[in-house]
Amino acid sequence: DAVEISLKDIDQLAKSSFPLCMRHMLDKLRENHHLKHGGRMQFGLFLKGAGLKLEDALAFWRAEFSQKVGSERFDKEYAYSIRHNYGKEGKRTDYTPYSCQKIISATPGVGDHHGCPYRHFGDENLRAALNKMGVGGHALEEIMDKVKNRHYQLACTLTFEATHGVSCDSGINHPNQYFSESQKVLR
Ligand code: SF4
């Protein structure tokens, strides 16, 4: 990956270039200082794919989780799985970030924040989240129409277009693709 993101840029990059699924998880992580397993996998692998190095990833998760569970428990119970995602533990598989298809077919339960907002949010929550991204009016109605017809990736593509002011001919099929297309436009 050409892009490399650093710890201090995450919030800024989330605002400018993360797809809604990943913005949502960052918001929840900042709010609760915790994410359940499904969220840690989906978000953690996305950040890795976006170019966050292992040391920064550990610092990032530790800063939040230690506020909730303490840094000792973080180091004992959570650091392993982060290193694991980077292929530094266990079978040393280098795990790849999840595609939209995989994320859309997830089944988040109560207290989970992973999944695809276009698929898993209720109507009102989705509208509010899109408003927060600055999407309203005709563009918002078009997005909601795609959602109604279960075209979640098209809804995400329209969101990309509305927030970046360019067309995305390839369509969105991966959160890391959304991120890199956005960086291409903004850089
Ligand atoms: Fe994330 Fe893909 Fe859903 Fe967009 S369509 S919010 S990138 S899972």
Side-chain angles (χ1 to χ4, degrees):
D1 256 328
V3 228
E4 198 175 297
I5 71 176
S6 69
L7 205 49
K8 61 173 177 30
D9 298 331
I10 289 182
D11 291 274
Q12 190 49 48
L13 284 171
K15 241 183 234 147
S16 65
S17 295
F18 284 11
L20 183 53
C21 53
M22 303 303 171
R23 282 170 201 247
H24 177 60
M25 279 192 293
L26 180 61
D27 283 350
K28 288 297 167 187
L29 176 65
R30 296 284 193 224
E31 186 183 318
N32 302 328
H33 313 301
H34 191 270
L35 277 181
K36 290 182 158 194
H37 179 74
R40 295 198 301 276
M41 289 298 289
Q42 183 181 314
F43 191 37
L45 289 172
F46 167 79
L47 290 173
K48 172 185 150 185
L52 190 69
K53 298 287 164 233
L54 173 61
E55 285 314 308
D56 281 348
L58 284 167
F60 170 73
W61 292 100
R62 183 184 287 117
E64 291 299 336
F65 270 61
S66 60
Q67 294 178 55
K68 177 96 174 180
V69 302
S71 47
E72 206 172 304
R73 211 177 128 201
F74 172 84
D75 289 338
K76 239 191 251 160
E77 291 176 31
Y78 298 98
Y80 177 91
S81 72
I82 293 160
R83 284 197 300 271
H84 194 262
N85 278 352
Y86 279 76
K88 304 291 182 209
E89 300 280 4
K91 281 186 291 178
R92 297 181 184 262
T93 314
D94 211 358
Y95 291 97
T96 47
Y98 296 171
S99 67
C100 292
Q101 214 179 6
K102 183 174 168 100
I103 292 170
I104 288 168
S105 61
T107 51
V110 177
D112 277 326
H113 300 295
H114 65 281
C116 173
Y118 300 97
R119 164 83 173 81
H120 296 114
F121 277 17
D123 209 78
E124 287 312 306
N125 277 347
L126 181 57
R127 281 175 182 274
L130 289 166
N131 277 157
K132 223 172 116 188
M133 290 174 80
V135 181
H138 181 64
L140 176 62
E141 295 316 317
E142 263 192 308
I143 292 166
M144 297 309 292
D145 191 61
K146 296 291 181 218
V147 169
K148 204 170 69 197
N149 291 300
R150 299 172 177 236
H151 297 310
Y152 308 115
Q153 289 171 224
L154 279 178
C156 191
T157 305
L158 290 181
T159 304
F160 181 97
E161 293 182 341
T163 52
H164 292 75
V166 296
S167 66
C168 176
D169 299 331
S170 54
I172 297 300
N173 55 52
H174 199 292
N176 288 93
Q177 173 221 0
Y178 186 112
F179 177 72
S180 57
E181 301 268 348
S182 171
Q183 287 289 287
K184 256 186 252 163
V185 175
L186 299 174
R187 268 171 187 236

